[in-house]
Amino acid sequence: MYHSNELTNKQKAAILLIALGPEISAQIFKHLREDEIEKLTLEIANQRKVSQEQREKVIEEFHQMAMAKEYLSSGGLDYAREVLEKALGSEKAVSIINRLTSSLQIRPFDFARKTDPSQLLNFIQNEHPQTIALIMAYLHPDQSAAIISALSPDRQVEVAKRIATMDRTSPDVLKDVERILERKLSSLVTQDFTAAGGVESIVEVLNRVDRTTERTIIENLEVQNPELAEEIKRRMFVFEDIVMLDDRSLQLVLREIESKDLALALKAASGEVAGKVYKNMSKRASEMLREEIEYMGPVRIRDVEEAQQKIVNVIRRLEESGEIVVSRGKGDEIIV
């Protein structure tokens, strides 16, 4: 029988998912990485019998952590500590806060994420591109998209390149930048640290900017850093984004794809994606595709991902040639 002080975080997560049931757990899995899902699935499968008391303790701990995180996001560190101390006592409050700040890693520039992008732009547009990139890496992608769209083309490219190649930033540098921006905005600031930036970060931003801004950045990066540009382009449109295509565009895409690749790609696709595809095929073609998927049998995840990437590459090619349009956000709405 497990004792609470013997449980690892992974074991606690497995017990929580078991307690929540398969439907809720499936929704949680959608927000996890593949390696995290594999580890948790293995842990769930290896769970020994857990008592009702143990299960309740894990749920209670999860509830306390969730509430503490909500206090942190709504009122900051001091507010969260004060509320938790009143509810749980000083020792328990400190324990929860310490675990949150180390494992959940409260992000810097929390005050900036509550500020209108146009206001932020006024304060940072004349800063060094590295400083702008650092701040944007910690903002919500929608905020960063609004800011980068308003920069001059040359600074757009510089900032995008620096976000994409950013790795870890020292706490001292973060403190200095936060302090300066805090003083300019006259707002509160939390002083916890984490890693930000990277290719995924700039992809999230570019997926939200208008097509002109995106094209300017990508075309310049293709000259300055071809490998980085290719990596960004490869990640900018994922297979599940097919649902964002208009019917005409999707029909053009489907004409370019082999039946085997489409069947493989849909083998692990969501109902929404599959429904979108079937809707844009003839009744006979969709029936044949369903039969092909049904009789396909077990397939390797790698083969499914390769087939999905082939379809994504077709979409990117058709978009670049102007045959289809992928809507990305403000200023990019489609007029039929």
Side-chain angles (χ1 to χ4, degrees), residues 308-324:
Q308 291 180 348
Q309 190 59 48
K310 284 182 182 179
I311 295 173
V312 169
N313 291 341
V314 169
I315 292 171
R316 294 293 299 177
R317 175 169 57 79
L318 292 176
E319 183 190 27
E320 288 173 0
S321 67
E323 295 179 60
I324 66 173

Side-chain angles (χ1 to χ4, degrees), residues 202-203 206 218 221 228-236:
I202 191 58
V203 165
L206 292 181
I218 293 297
L221 283 178
L228 177 59
E230 188 57 37
E231 176 69 359
I232 290 173
K233 287 196 295 181
R234 187 178 68 82
R235 300 193 193 191
M236 278 197 62

Side-chain angles (χ1 to χ4, degrees), residues 40-58:
L40 275 175
T41 301
L42 183 61
E43 191 63 49
I44 291 171
N46 290 333
Q47 280 297 312
R48 292 173 286 170
K49 185 176 180 181
V50 181
S51 69
Q52 182 64 27
E53 179 186 4
Q54 183 66 67
R55 187 174 300 193
E56 289 175 356
K57 285 184 178 179
V58 170

